[in-house]
């Protein structure tokens, strides 16, 4: 399967712990997005990378959240000092394109985070 | 601010019934529109997209959507639904340099056999 993959698929953690999620995009895709989805809502944008550069961050992304894409390939999303409100599905998507060029985003299966 | 409204949160239909799901958006610039579908236990998949040209867009599995610029709408239609269409449907809009997707809250469709 050459689609977007995410690891782990599920994560249960205690409040105050740090967690890290990984996303492997489709190999030739230069754009990578992170979204968060809570129950009854559509996905909400968190952050965007073009190659290794993080070009946009949502105000939803508090200072406890950090994302990296060190070599322009896989990406990690870290949440420090987790809170119960961080419980959600974290989705990764990738696409191929340039500035102002729209293309389809392909989504991974998501990582479901539960903070106890 | 960009936003997307989906008016139908939960729709129940019998097989062979016609489907129309509403989607309205708010965006000041050139807009690109999408419908994504999430089948039970699966990840989000693209159903259809509108970038430019013919405002009537045909997607996979017999779905179509019509972009009506004057109404800021992009409604999804299917003339005859099947049980396998049971899923959650999300309307989304992008624009600007990053093309981040702005999603609606989704419509959960249940098709009864």
């Amino acid at each position: 399967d050459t689609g977007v993959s995410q690891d782990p698929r599920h994560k249960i953690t205690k409040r105050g712990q740090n967690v890290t999620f990984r996303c492997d995009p489709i190999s030739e895709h230069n754009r990578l997005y992170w979204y968060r989805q809570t129950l009854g809502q559509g996905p909400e944008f968190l952050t965007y990378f073009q190659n290794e550069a993080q070009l946009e961050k949502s105000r939803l992304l508090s200072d406890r959240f950090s994302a990296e894409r060190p070599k322009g390939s896989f990406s990690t999303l870290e949440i420090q000092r987790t809170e119960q409100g961080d419980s959600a599905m974290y989705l990764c998507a990738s696409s191929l394109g340039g500035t102002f060029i729209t293309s389809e985003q392909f989504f991974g299966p998501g990582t479901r985070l539960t903070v106890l | 601010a960009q936003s997307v409204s989906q008016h139908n949160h939960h729709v129940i239909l019998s097989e062979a019934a016609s489907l129309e799901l509403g989607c309205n958006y708010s965006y000041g610039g050139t807009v690109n529109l999408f419908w994504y579908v999430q089948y039970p236990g699966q990840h989000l998949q693209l159903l259809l997209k509108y970038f430019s040209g013919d405002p009537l867009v045909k997607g996979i599995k017999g779905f179509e959507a019509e972009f009506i610029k004057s109404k800021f709408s992009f409604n999804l239609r299917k003339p005859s639904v099947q049980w396998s269409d049971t899923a959650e449907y999300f309307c989304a809009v992008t624009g600007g340099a990053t093309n981040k997707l702005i999603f609606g809250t989704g419509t959960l469709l249940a098709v009864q056999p």
Side-chain angles (χ1 to χ4, degrees):
Chain A
D1 188 341
T2 57
V4 178
S5 61
Q6 293 187 245
D7 184 68
R9 296 290 301 277
H10 303 272
K11 179 70 177 179
I12 300 174
T13 191
K14 293 183 180 179
R15 189 178 55 183
Q17 297 295 303
N18 299 343
V19 294
T20 300
F21 310 141
R22 177 181 170 119
C23 170
D24 286 90
I26 294 172
S27 59
E28 65 269 25
H29 284 184
N30 59 335
R31 298 182 142 195
L32 188 146
Y33 304 79
W34 285 98
Y35 295 86
R36 181 171 68 186
Q37 186 177 17
T38 54
L39 202 60
Q41 300 295 319
E44 295 174 293
F45 170 76
L46 292 179
T47 190
Y48 158 70
F49 290 86
Q50 183 157 315
N51 300 310
E52 67 276 6
Q54 187 175 21
L55 297 185
E56 186 172 349
K57 293 196 295 185
S58 163
R59 283 174 289 179
L60 292 174
L61 216 63
S62 76
D63 56 6
R64 296 185 297 105
F65 288 70
S66 62
E68 294 183 340
R69 193 182 183 197
K71 296 182 180 178
S73 57
F74 73 92
S75 175
T76 58
L77 178 68
E78 181 183 14
I79 309 174
Q80 296 183 327
R81 305 181 303 281
T82 53
E83 301 173 356
Q84 288 183 325
D86 297 332
S87 294
M89 177 74 86
Y90 289 83
L91 298 170
C92 178
S94 71
S95 70
L96 184 63
T99 302
F100 294 105
I101 297 173
T102 302
S103 60
E104 175 186 350
Q105 290 181 31
F106 293 82
F107 282 82
T111 295
R112 182 168 295 283
L113 173 65
T114 302
V115 182
L116 302 176
Chain B
Q2 303 164 16
S3 66
V4 175
S5 297
Q6 292 183 243
H7 313 296
N8 317 103
H9 298 294
H10 197 179
V11 173
I12 301 173
L13 294 173
S14 298
E15 276 193 314
S18 64
L19 171 71
E20 181 160 3
L21 301 182
C23 172
N24 288 91
Y25 65 92
S26 170
Y27 185 70
T30 301
V31 68
N32 302 299
L33 295 155
F34 303 80
W35 277 95
Y36 277 84
V37 61
Q38 189 164 26
Y39 297 103
Q42 296 187 27
H43 56 272
L44 279 165
Q45 302 171 41
L46 183 68
L47 202 54
L48 48 79
K49 62 191 177 193
Y50 172 80
F51 290 172
S52 64
D54 189 343
L56 185 61
V57 179
K58 299 210 182 284
I60 60 171
K61 303 187 180 185
F63 286 90
E64 66 179 30
E66 186 174 12
F67 170 52
I68 304 179
K69 189 175 181 180
S70 61
K71 295 185 178 180
F72 298 92
S73 71
F74 190 56
N75 292 355
L76 182 70
R77 299 194 293 248
K78 185 171 184 178
S80 176
V81 295
Q82 300 173 314
W83 177 79
S84 58
D85 293 325
T86 294
E88 191 159 19
Y89 293 81
F90 294 94
C91 182
V93 62
T94 69
T98 64
N99 285 304
K100 64 187 178 190
L101 286 163
I102 307 296
F103 285 89
T105 52
T107 297
L108 199 56
L109 171 66
V111 180
Q112 297 175 332

